Amino acid sequence: MTSIKDSLYSQPLGQVNGFAFDENVAQVFPDMIQRSVPGYQTIIAAIGLLAGRFAKPQSVCYDLGCSLGAASFSMRQNITVENCRIIAIDNSTAMLTRLESILANETSRHSTVIELQCADIRDVVIENASIVVLNFTLQFLPVEDRKSLLAKIYNGLLPDGALIISEKLAFDDARQQTLQIDLHHAFKKAQGYSELEISQKRTALENVLIPETFAQHQQHLKSVGFSSAELWFQYFNFASFIALK
Ligand code: GEK
């Protein structure tokens, strides 16, 4: 995927507006997420392996909050069963228009199709799912809407289906919370972001990205019926976990 360098927060902004997945963000998104989320590429690659394991014939694999479809492409590359389709959903028209054109320009044919839906994931139907991916999406929903989405996913999953959730985490322990945030900022500095970029982006994400602790996620997942939910990856305050139906 071609990527323009993210410099959206490099100049002082008089007022920092709340972060939105608009055209400016969509344009630089691959660079932005890679340089902002520790372990992003590792997680994308692992989602492919997980899809290879969990995708069942005649079932649906959902990519909820797909952005430019990185998780969908990784799943498609690894799915070997017949008649499986991927449904990639996002409510940002800027993201989905780009993804639509990426798919339209593909030259090779694939037996697993990627279908796009421009919709709010809180409003869509989830059914006949063998694997559902929420890769850094749940954190953008109001906290009070998260449990009903998880319950809908649980109900739409086939027996033995899996939900993969990746999130920025919060920590109950104050020192741990400060340390992990500092380490994330050190990661961003090492990726070439300036102090100004880091601080303006942090302001933009305040009240937009609301992290919860892993214990809270685990509790929500168990309360809607998942039999287990365990971490498979963590890099500072960014983590990915697998919940099993
Ligand atoms: C990846 N999964 O590259 N309904 C639909 N989409 C939503 C909603 C909603 N209610 N809220 C937010 N989004 C991707 C990365 S980015 C994560 C996901 C990040 C969408 C939003 O438009 C954006 O495209 C995505 O969720 C979050 O694997 O930027 O940190």
Side-chain angles (χ1 to χ4, degrees), residues 2 10 30 34 44 75 84 125 148 237 242:
T2 52
S10 60
Q34 194 142 305
I44 290 294
M75 289 200 279
C84 193
V125 173
S148 56
N237 48 347
I242 307 176

Side-chain angles (χ1 to χ4, degrees), residues 6 29-40 168 184 187-188 191 193 201 205 237-238:
D6 166 28
F29 189 73
D31 178 69
M32 173 186 274
I33 195 149
Q34 194 142 305
R35 291 200 293 132
S36 304
V37 174
Y40 175 74
K168 183 175 187 177
H184 177 224
F187 171 88
K188 290 189 75 169
Q191 297 296 316
Y193 282 117
K201 176 80 177 285
L205 284 173
N237 48 347
F238 289 78

Side-chain angles (χ1 to χ4, degrees), residues 162-179:
L163 166 62
I164 315 303
I165 304 186
S166 311
E167 289 275 292
K168 183 175 187 177
L169 292 182
F171 299 86
D172 284 325
D173 181 82
R175 278 206 307 156
Q176 196 65 246
Q177 173 75 1
T178 306
L179 171 67

